[in-house]
Amino acid sequence: MPKFAIKHIKTQKGKMVFKQLIILEDKLDEIKTQLNINECETHNKCIDEGKIIGEKKIIRKGVFDIYSEEIEDADRHSLRGLFTLMDMIVDLQKLPKKQFRPLQPKSKDGDFEIKRGDLRIIGIDIEGGKLIIKCGHKNTQDEDISHFRSLKKQYLESIKPKKLDNGKGRIAQK
Amino acid sequence: MEREELLRSKEYWLIHIQNKVFNLLRKYKEDKKLNQSQLAEKMEVTKGYISQIMNGDYDHKVSKLVDLALSCDKAPIITFIDIDTYIENDKKGINIVREQISGANYHFWLSNNSNEFEPLSVLTLKESIGDSLLKKLNSLKEIKNVNQETSNLDFEYSNYSTI
């Protein structure tokens, strides 16, 4: 089961925020990593900079960071378009369905897709905004949506509060 | 991508204008309870043309933009502001646009950080008074409530009216 953290995308300004999923390496502690990220974001330090303590990096790249870096020159104008659409979304502006639409079938998690040119980003609603879970392209849309659904399920499972269980179906005492 | 880089990009402003045209027609269509065919007929354009606009793909002649605005009973007011000033004000959460309307009178559009740019206050001021207001507002590090700030300023309002 992969481990996750989430971090802010700071380019947008508006009435809500965009965040992105970070898929962590097995050896990392997800709670400590998330606390480090929250600390860095709150004090406006460590954003997009790796800081090494021992062998662990505090700030990891999210799915959208990696996607943005890998975009080829021919698609960079579409990437700027995606950033612009995200900016309008956090500002609660209405957009054409061709650019921003709920995924079908509709889910209680508010699955959405943002499109610009051949680029696609897919995510869910979270408290205070939107979370990007998967980024892809027009010609891999079906696989991307399938992968998104799988990642979403794993992420939502990972953030569920866990009961202490002594293996016999009873809550263990601390 | 840094926000400043985004605000200096062609795509940002193009998409915003396309979105304004989309929302212009969308609101008109909803208010008049028209379907897409009826809207096309009213605008005297093809259904395909309307479809392009409703998909956010508008990139046509300026004269057509004027036609569309007037058909929706709107005046297509277009204004340009210094990009560096816009970016500075964006950091503060406000935008201030000065626009000459006649002679020595100016409109000052004060809006929140919404890219939709619906003005919160519009003041018609003589140039000397308007410049003084603009200077005071620009000197503020952050403007949380535009209306509150303009009423707080120690200012001679003898020659202004609000719209």
Side-chain angles (χ1 to χ4, degrees), chain B:
Chain B
M1 182 182 293
E2 293 297 325
R3 185 166 176 81
E4 181 169 338
E5 184 190 340
L6 182 65
L7 295 183
R8 291 186 186 274
S9 72
K10 170 188 166 181
E11 289 78 16
Y12 182 84
W13 296 104
L14 175 61
I15 291 170
H16 272 288
I17 292 170
Q18 287 172 330
N19 192 254
K20 278 187 186 295
V21 180
F22 158 75
N23 275 305
L24 173 74
L25 262 61
R26 180 187 62 79
K27 283 177 191 166
Y28 185 82
K29 182 170 165 286
E30 281 172 10
D31 290 346
K32 302 292 179 187
K33 296 182 176 39
L34 301 173
N35 61 33
Q36 211 142 296
S37 298
Q38 290 165 331
L39 182 65
E41 202 179 315
K42 169 76 171 94
M43 301 285 137
E44 296 179 359
V45 296
T46 62
K47 282 188 283 186
Y49 190 89
I50 294 293
S51 185
Q52 266 191 307
I53 295 174
M54 300 312 278
N55 286 336
D57 283 340
Y58 183 82
D59 194 6
H60 301 282
K61 287 184 185 179
V62 174
S63 56
K64 202 63 211 168
L65 172 67
V66 174
D67 281 339
L68 289 173
L70 293 174
S71 296
C72 294
D73 305 320
K74 299 287 183 194
I77 294 172
I78 296 172
T79 192
F80 300 93
I81 61 173
D82 179 74
I83 187 71
D84 292 328
T85 305
Y86 185 89
I87 289 168
E88 271 315 297
N89 286 334
D90 179 78
K91 290 175 189 168
K92 293 176 196 170
I94 180 177
N95 243 300
I96 306 163
V97 176
R98 188 181 86 164
E99 178 183 37
Q100 185 171 11
I101 48 170
S102 64
N105 286 330
Y106 284 82
H107 267 151
F108 282 80
W109 299 69
L110 309 174
S111 70
N112 63 14
N113 200 39
S114 167
N115 295 309
E116 186 64 24
F117 227 115
E118 291 294 329
L120 295 175
S121 320
V122 183
L123 308 177
T124 302
L125 299 166
K126 290 206 178 209
E127 185 175 8
S128 56
I129 296 171
D131 279 348
S132 185
L133 169 62
L134 194 62
K135 204 171 167 184
K136 286 196 179 188
L137 286 172
N138 275 331
S139 70
L140 296 172
K141 280 191 183 164
E142 189 186 333
I143 298 172
K144 286 188 177 156
N145 184 316
V146 169
N147 289 326
Q148 190 63 42
E149 292 293 353
T150 50
S151 66
N152 278 348
L153 289 173
D154 179 19
F155 199 84
E156 282 285 328
Y157 284 113
S158 54
N159 285 312
Y160 93 101
S161 60
T162 51
I163 296 172

